[in-house]
Amino acid sequence: MLSVIFAINLLLISEVITFEIYKYKITQIEKIETCEKAELQFDIDLKNQSLKYFTFGMGVDEEYQKNLEDNYNLEVYHMGCIVENSYECYNELVKRHLMNEID
């Protein structure tokens, strides 16, 4: 019984640590407030080979996120329910860039 409680606690601790790391990474992203700023950030990220992709909605689609990370080498951030147009502008630039690389 004690080993089961210990295992559950370890799982919960690892989930909390993962969440805290994720929160920290999001705070390090500069706020993209306009499409113009999205273009500037895209250029910087492309130059640094650190393109990002922002998802929105009630929950994280883990399969979609894993696909973006594994197949396109993108850092994926889930931004919650409210879709922000400036981040969609950034995503659109990423999509265009990826389509040009595939062609």
Side-chain angles (χ1 to χ4, degrees), residues 53-57 59-61 64-65 68 76-80 91:
Y53 195 84
F54 302 96
T55 63
F56 302 92
V60 177
D61 183 341
Y64 182 64
Q65 180 174 341
L68 292 172
V76 180
Y77 296 94
H78 184 72
M79 305 302 286
N91 285 349

Side-chain angles (χ1 to χ4, degrees), residues 2-83:
L2 190 57
S3 62
V4 172
I5 293 171
F6 182 71
I8 291 172
N9 281 335
L10 282 179
L11 179 63
L12 290 173
I13 289 170
S14 70
E15 289 292 321
V16 168
I17 291 170
T18 301
F19 180 72
E20 290 299 321
I21 291 169
Y22 179 75
K23 271 184 17 183
Y24 175 76
K25 286 174 69 176
I26 285 182
T27 63
Q28 298 307 301
I29 298 172
E30 187 161 336
K31 179 77 172 146
I32 301 172
E33 297 150 342
T34 64
C35 283
E36 291 78 20
K37 195 161 184 179
E39 290 176 19
L40 293 173
Q41 189 62 52
F42 172 80
D43 290 338
I44 291 167
D45 292 346
L46 182 60
K47 183 178 179 181
N48 294 333
Q49 296 181 335
S50 62
L51 289 177
K52 300 165 185 61
Y53 195 84
F54 302 96
T55 63
F56 302 92
M58 286 293 288
V60 177
D61 183 341
E62 292 178 11
E63 186 176 323
Y64 182 64
Q65 180 174 341
K66 185 168 175 35
N67 179 40
L68 292 172
E69 291 169 344
D70 293 348
N71 295 327
Y72 301 103
N73 198 30
L74 299 171
E75 294 177 45
V76 180
Y77 296 94
H78 184 72
M79 305 302 286
C81 294
I82 300 173
V83 177

